[in-house]
Amino acid sequence: MTPPRKLHIKSYGCQMNVYDAQRMVDTLAPEGFVETANAEDADLVILNTCHIREKASEKVYSELGRLRVAKDEAARAGRAMQIAVAGCVAQAEGGEITRRAPVVDIVVGPQSYHHLPELLKRARDEGRAIETEFPAQDKFGFLAQPKPDAIRARGISAFVTVQEGCDKFCTFCVVPYTRGAEVSRPVAKIVDDVKRLADNGVRELTLIGQNVNAYHGDGPDGKTWPLGRLLEHLAAIPGIARLRYSTSHPRDVDDSLIAAHRDLGALMPFVHLPVQSGSDRILAAMNRKHTADDYLDVIDRFRSARQDIAFSSDFIVGFPGESEQDFLATLALVTQIGYAAAYSFKYSARPGTPAADMQETVSPAEMDQRLERLQELIDSQQSAFNKAAIGSTVDVLFERPARKHGQIVGRTAFLQPAHVMAPPDIIGQILPVRIDSLERYSFLGELVTPHGAREPVLSQATGA
């Protein structure tokens, strides 16, 4: 028998890349590849890249420098190692990658990784293979489905891509250039994926897309379905206890999505809704096509549908032309909303985006200072949100053994980690936990229901 070939994938950036990495594993499994955690032992190393921020792409080139040494050592041992760069950096930079890093054998964009088997052969035959065109065919129709064992090994939570690309063209963002225009998968294809996952133990789904709430897929009734209707349909699939989605745009929050949060017990009351800035002037320069008041109105619509809903967001500080007054508007917005969590970053210019040509830049020192002030405010809100749970009883979906022997860790509806002392057979169950304390960002607690008295998780998931 031919021994299996070893595959190592390192992903950077967004949830979509995590999903894409898993589908690459599924695509290469019929070619005899099995995953390894050690890049030095691999026959194929794939760097699945992100191009959102400058440091992310520079990390890729640093990693390629280390892999060059590993590839040379493999060659001296008589073993051929291939190196591929996939994802958004591959799409954006194409042949520039092989110029800067000749060690790379394959460059493949995020819409073409279903061609990896053919690209590997071409690289062996021709020395190199580059594919960064947007293919005419939908890659999802060509990807190998994950084996049941692979699904079970990945745990009780899973990502499912329902939408890709973006038509918003925010001036700071490369996504429309690296992922292409907005495309939504047909409802029937998504349902097939979800049923396969549910049949193999997945309890929690996160629907993902660059602009997920712009979803407009073809439904089985011949009509175009919005995200809210898709969520309603998926919530009825047996075994699926929790639903989430990410990432959303404020302009695409429609009534069906608000209704889904009102009506679906399986849809978690935690929404990631990036705003980027609280200044209307900066929002206009970013081409966000919404104002701070528009954003606040969306928040109010969510809260009117479900009072316990909580929010996370993204913020950019130091966008070209941002004044102290603009930044204070961002702090005011954060103060007014009160976030459970948020991600904040210093602006970094991405080549090819309109913002990269803007001249009125903010100094690095000013960016550092503003980021520190913003993160201090966000951290205080997150800490207050987490501390408010101490002493209460919350539902936790248990995922896996924790690092501490005897502990099992799961997550609340708001993605907060919660640890309890319990046997591992509670994994996959939703059980009530009394929260006793908080250590950094994780809860410690105790099961309210004694072990053996199992919760009716399916009725809980449907809101019954």
Side-chain angles (χ1 to χ4, degrees):
M1 291 181 60
T2 302
R5 292 184 284 175
K6 294 182 180 180
L7 166 67
H8 177 81
I9 301 182
K10 182 173 183 176
S11 282
Y12 302 78
C14 66
Q15 294 170 328
M16 186 77 80
N17 273 10
V18 175
Y19 173 86
D20 285 347
Q22 292 176 347
R23 301 313 303 270
M24 290 179 201
V25 172
D26 300 332
T27 297
L28 291 167
E31 305 298 314
F33 283 97
V34 296
E35 281 192 274
T36 177
N38 190 347
E40 285 72 19
D41 293 340
D43 300 291
L44 172 61
V45 177
I46 301 175
L47 301 184
N48 191 26
T49 61
C50 173
H51 203 256
I52 293 297
R53 307 194 191 284
E54 183 178 9
K55 286 186 179 179
S57 59
E58 289 306 315
K59 286 179 181 178
V60 172
Y61 287 108
S62 295
E63 184 68 20
L64 288 171
R66 289 188 286 271
L67 289 174
R68 179 182 58 78
V69 176
K71 187 173 183 177
D72 289 344
E73 290 178 353
R76 285 192 290 271
R79 180 170 57 87
M81 174 191 286
Q82 289 183 294
I83 297 174
V85 176
C88 290
V89 171
Q91 187 70 43
E93 301 192 13
E96 176 67 9
I97 293 172
T98 56
R99 188 192 68 78
R100 287 186 61 177
V103 69
V104 173
D105 302 285
I106 299 158
V107 178
V108 57
Q111 305 304 331
S112 301
Y113 62 75
H114 56 298
H115 292 153
L116 270 169
E118 295 92 338
L119 294 172
L120 288 170
K121 183 178 185 302
R122 195 197 312 169
R124 284 193 296 268
D125 293 344
E126 303 174 13
R128 186 161 290 153
I130 299 175
E131 184 168 333
T132 56
E133 299 297 322
F134 288 107
Q137 319 102 312
D138 174 11
K139 70 184 178 189
F140 293 99
F142 296 88
L143 291 170
Q145 296 299 335
K147 303 291 186 185
D149 288 348
I151 295 173
R152 289 191 286 269
R154 291 167 186 168
I156 55 96
S157 297
F159 297 128
V160 174
T161 293
V162 301
Q163 179 273 343
E164 282 197 286
C166 187
D167 295 343
K168 297 297 186 288
F169 287 92
C170 297
T171 57
F172 55 82
C173 185
V174 298
V175 165
Y177 313 103
T178 58
R179 290 276 182 173
E182 289 176 357
V183 177
S184 297
R185 297 180 65 200
V187 172
K189 298 291 187 182
I190 297 167
V191 169
D192 286 346
D193 285 355
V194 171
K195 286 182 176 178
R196 186 179 299 105
L197 293 169
D199 288 345
N200 289 282
V202 169
R203 306 298 317 284
E204 179 181 67
L205 285 177
T206 301
L207 308 184
I208 57 175
Q210 272 78 37
N211 191 16
V212 71
N213 61 330
Y215 178 81
H216 52 278
D218 293 334
D221 56 1
K223 297 180 180 179
T224 299
W225 285 24
L227 182 63
R229 189 172 181 189
L230 175 64
L231 287 163
E232 181 182 4
H233 194 68
L234 297 181
I237 293 176
I240 298 302
R242 285 182 170 182
L243 289 170
R244 305 180 187 274
Y245 59 90
S246 187
T247 292
S248 301
H249 193 288
R251 290 183 58 219
D252 291 317
V253 177
D254 65 5
D255 290 341
S256 77
L257 188 56
I258 298 295
H261 277 281
R262 181 192 65 213
D263 299 336
L264 301 179
L267 182 56
M268 295 296 95
F270 189 41
V271 177
H272 184 63
L273 192 65
V275 63
Q276 306 300 354
S277 175
S279 162
D280 287 349
R281 192 176 73 85
I282 295 301
L283 289 170
M286 291 177 168
N287 195 36
R288 291 288 290 173
K289 298 186 175 71
H290 65 80
T291 65
D293 282 345
D294 293 335
Y295 184 84
L296 290 167
D297 287 344
V298 173
I299 296 290
D300 288 343
R301 289 168 62 205
F302 275 115
R303 285 177 169 160
S304 67
R306 184 157 181 175
Q307 291 185 347
D308 65 340
I309 202 163
F311 299 93
S312 61
S313 192
D314 292 341
F315 294 91
I316 294 173
V317 302
F319 188 81
E322 183 189 66
S323 67
E324 176 67 12
Q325 201 64 33
D326 294 320
F327 177 69
L328 290 175
T330 296
L331 295 182
L333 182 76
V334 173
T335 300
Q336 184 170 351
I337 291 172
Y339 287 101
Y343 305 95
S344 51
F345 308 93
K346 293 182 291 185
Y347 170 75
S348 63
R350 308 316 297 131
T353 60
D357 296 327
M358 295 180 181
Q359 300 301 314
E360 194 179 349
T361 57
V362 178
S363 72
E366 190 67 22
M367 278 201 249
D368 287 341
Q369 191 258 359
R370 289 177 185 172
L371 183 65
E372 182 177 353
R373 290 159 65 191
L374 176 60
Q375 290 182 340
E376 182 179 351
L377 176 58
I378 290 168
D379 287 348
S380 69
Q381 291 185 344
Q382 183 173 4
S383 178
F385 182 80
N386 289 340
K387 287 178 180 177
I390 297 175
S392 67
T393 297
V394 302
D395 286 340
V396 174
L397 173 58
F398 287 97
E399 297 179 345
R400 55 180 172 79
R403 292 179 182 176
K404 183 177 179 180
H405 180 71
Q407 277 189 345
I408 307 297
V409 63
R411 291 187 182 271
T412 72
F414 305 105
L415 288 176
Q416 300 145 307
H419 297 72
V420 301
M421 298 297 295
D425 63 358
I426 69 168
I427 292 171
Q429 295 186 61
I430 297 174
L431 297 173
V433 174
R434 186 186 70 245
I435 302 301
D436 295 329
S437 62
L438 176 69
E439 290 189 2
R440 290 183 62 81
Y441 299 107
S442 296
F443 292 134
L444 299 178
E446 294 185 12
L447 292 176
V448 172
T449 305
H451 176 56
R454 298 173 183 265
E455 289 293 296
V457 294
L458 291 183
S459 64
Q460 198 178 57
T462 56

